[in-house]
Amino acid sequence: MYKFKKNPDLWQRFFLREQIIRTIRNFFYKEKFHEVETPILLPALIPESYLDVFETFLKDRHGNKKRMFLATSPEASIKKLIAAGLGNCFEITKSFRNGETGSIAHNPEFTILEWYRIKASYKDIMSDCENLILFLYKNLKSQISAFQINKLNHKSLSSVLKMTDFEIVYQKQKINLAPPWEKLSVVDALKKYADIDFDDITEKKKSDLFPAEKLAKVAERKGYNVNKNNSWEEIFNQIFLNEIEPHLGTHGKPTFIYDYPKPMAGLAKIKENEPRLAERFELYIAGLELGDCYNELTDYNEQKARFQNEFILIKKKKKTKVIADNNFLQALKTGLPPCSGIALGVDRLVMLFTDSYSIKDVLLFPLD
């Protein structure tokens, strides 16, 4: 807290954070969404091999212990509510992911916004993203004008949040938020930025659509270090992070990058006409990854098979073994309606609107 005493103007970032969170709620209330509160301490999780989780133990009054976990996202809990008939809903909550330190965009404890639309597709959520960000922009811009007109003690506000018509500045990049935003498929981005044809690193008709050795040869020619234990997804991620991600949302417009390879499907539906691709997008603005959206998988058997595969990968990667959320699977079995949802990082959104280089700059109590 010494930093605030030394430089009181730092409070302006957190006043803006407060306003951003209030405005997010107002947006979804305006859209007639229900706000929900789901648990942070959970007895079971969706197995996700790319995450490290926090585990702890719950003691009963007799001292008996039960393994528990901190939520990595509210996704499973919200989907249970949707399967029970809730309808369109959102939540702003804390989530926890272990090992996420030493990065300007990660903190082990972070704030996440998730929302879900019933009978909607990921294209509808793209529109939601555009509308939400513009709603935030207009609201924050009007707040700046009010502060300036009233000459309140917010002199640093206009310098922290640099705005012109539909334009923000993040780390010297000018980004125009006026729709339409760039929409780029992963297949096209792979060719455009990495000069790789998707057909050259996958198979169309074999049982194994994603042979790791096929992608490994391409990656090795490019100078990447790969070994026989690397999965197709691990090799692809190296290429994506180094050759594609730096170009996303950095050409004056936000970017939706969509239709990810099936190994990166998460809980997303697979495209009907292309079994190698999943109906998923991520949102980037000025190089910041802000959101991850799916057309939600509603097939119980497919989800159960993915759970089993994730457990194999968790063991292979020596990650913390979790207890499977079978209640989530049961919710799918009883019937999750067609829907699409997104997880959006609130801290990164605050970074964007306050032109903050690091996530630590927008958290009152960042972990060192």
Side-chain angles (χ1 to χ4, degrees):
M1 293 299 103
Y2 173 73
K3 65 181 179 180
F4 294 105
K5 288 185 174 292
K6 187 176 180 180
N7 185 3
D9 281 351
L10 287 177
W11 285 113
Q12 306 310 325
R13 278 200 191 101
F14 299 97
F15 296 151
L16 280 168
R17 181 189 178 98
E18 177 184 25
Q19 184 64 29
I20 286 168
I21 292 173
R22 182 184 300 120
T23 304
I24 289 171
R25 282 196 164 92
N26 289 340
F27 174 82
F28 286 104
Y29 294 156
K30 178 177 67 72
E31 293 288 315
K32 309 299 183 185
F33 275 57
H34 297 287
E35 183 173 11
V36 300
E37 293 179 279
T38 60
I40 289 173
L41 186 64
L42 296 167
L45 295 175
I46 293 171
E48 295 172 292
S49 61
Y50 60 92
L51 294 180
D52 282 304
V53 304
F54 285 96
E55 67 172 332
T56 186
F57 290 90
L58 176 68
K59 290 183 180 179
D60 66 17
R61 62 185 297 178
H62 304 293
N64 299 313
K65 292 182 178 181
K66 178 182 179 180
R67 285 183 78 212
M68 301 287 283
F69 307 92
L70 295 182
T72 57
S73 85
E75 179 174 5
S77 296
I78 295 178
K79 286 182 180 177
K80 292 172 189 175
L81 296 173
I82 293 172
L86 178 64
N88 295 347
C89 57
F90 79 100
E91 182 173 20
I92 301 171
T93 188
K94 293 289 187 180
S95 292
F96 301 84
R97 296 178 185 179
N98 214 341
E100 298 204 346
T101 61
S103 164
I104 62 169
H106 293 89
N107 195 67
E109 177 185 347
F110 60 100
T111 303
I112 193 170
L113 160 68
E114 290 206 10
W115 76 87
Y116 292 81
R117 276 195 184 273
I118 310 303
K119 297 180 181 178
S121 74
Y122 60 167
K123 293 181 181 178
D124 297 307
I125 304 298
M126 288 181 185
S127 297
D128 276 348
C129 289
E130 292 177 337
N131 293 334
L132 172 62
I133 300 295
L134 279 177
F135 189 77
L136 282 167
Y137 168 89
K138 292 173 183 177
N139 181 277
L140 295 175
K141 189 173 183 181
S142 68
Q143 290 298 315
I144 290 173
S145 299
F147 288 140
Q148 291 172 333
I149 292 169
N150 294 323
K151 298 181 180 179
L152 297 177
N153 186 26
H154 292 278
K155 62 182 180 180
S156 69
L157 194 58
S158 60
S159 63
V160 171
L161 189 56
K162 307 176 184 73
M163 288 184 174
T164 58
D165 288 341
F166 298 111
E167 188 176 89
I168 60 172
V169 177
Y170 181 72
Q171 299 300 295
K172 299 182 180 180
Q173 296 182 69
K174 292 182 179 180
I175 305 295
N176 190 306
L177 299 176
W181 295 355
E182 180 186 30
K183 296 178 177 66
L184 180 68
S185 72
V186 171
V187 171
D188 288 343
L190 191 65
K191 181 61 179 177
K192 182 176 182 178
Y193 296 122
D195 195 27
I196 296 174
D197 286 314
F198 192 59
D199 289 345
D200 291 340
I201 58 173
T202 59
E203 296 288 352
K204 288 185 177 182
K205 297 181 180 180
K206 294 183 179 180
S207 58
D208 183 7
L209 299 176
F210 298 91
E213 63 275 9
K214 193 170 186 179
L215 178 55
K217 291 178 182 178
V218 174
E220 286 170 345
R221 287 200 297 267
K222 283 177 160 284
Y224 290 96
N225 292 320
V226 297
N227 61 62
K228 62 181 181 180
N229 293 321
N230 285 140
S231 67
W232 190 97
E233 180 183 359
E234 289 171 332
I235 302 169
F236 183 86
N237 273 330
Q238 288 189 62
I239 297 170
F240 184 90
L241 293 174
N242 285 286
E243 300 188 47
I244 297 175
E245 189 175 61
H247 299 281
L248 302 177
T250 59
H251 301 291
K253 283 282 191 179
T255 299
F256 294 114
I257 183 163
Y258 66 94
D259 288 355
Y260 275 71
K262 182 181 178 181
M264 305 166 76
L267 278 69
K269 277 188 174 181
I270 303 304
K271 294 183 76 66
E272 288 186 9
N273 60 346
E274 177 47 273
R276 295 176 296 172
L277 297 176
E279 295 174 335
R280 171 191 174 195
F281 78 74
E282 290 190 320
L283 168 62
Y284 285 79
I285 303 180
L288 276 176
E289 178 201 339
L290 289 174
D292 188 6
C293 171
Y294 308 139
N295 274 354
E296 302 297 340
L297 180 64
T298 58
D299 187 304
Y300 163 80
N301 292 319
E302 171 65 18
Q303 189 62 77
K304 186 177 180 181
R306 290 193 198 179
F307 269 27
Q308 293 168 347
N309 184 61
E310 286 300 303
F311 276 121
I312 292 171
L313 292 174
I314 286 170
K315 184 176 181 180
K316 179 181 177 182
K317 295 178 181 181
K318 298 181 179 179
K319 298 288 183 75
T320 301
K321 185 178 179 180
V322 302
I323 298 170
D325 190 342
N326 290 318
N327 287 335
F328 170 72
L329 288 176
Q330 189 60 37
L332 291 187
K333 196 171 187 178
T334 59
L336 181 70
C339 60
S340 186
I342 186 170
L344 191 145
V346 173
D347 307 310
R348 294 185 189 182
L349 196 60
V350 178
M351 287 171 63
L352 180 73
F353 277 110
T354 59
D355 193 17
S356 298
Y357 174 71
S358 171
I359 195 171
K360 293 182 184 293
D361 297 331
V362 299
L363 300 175
L364 287 170
F365 297 96
L367 289 174
D368 294 326

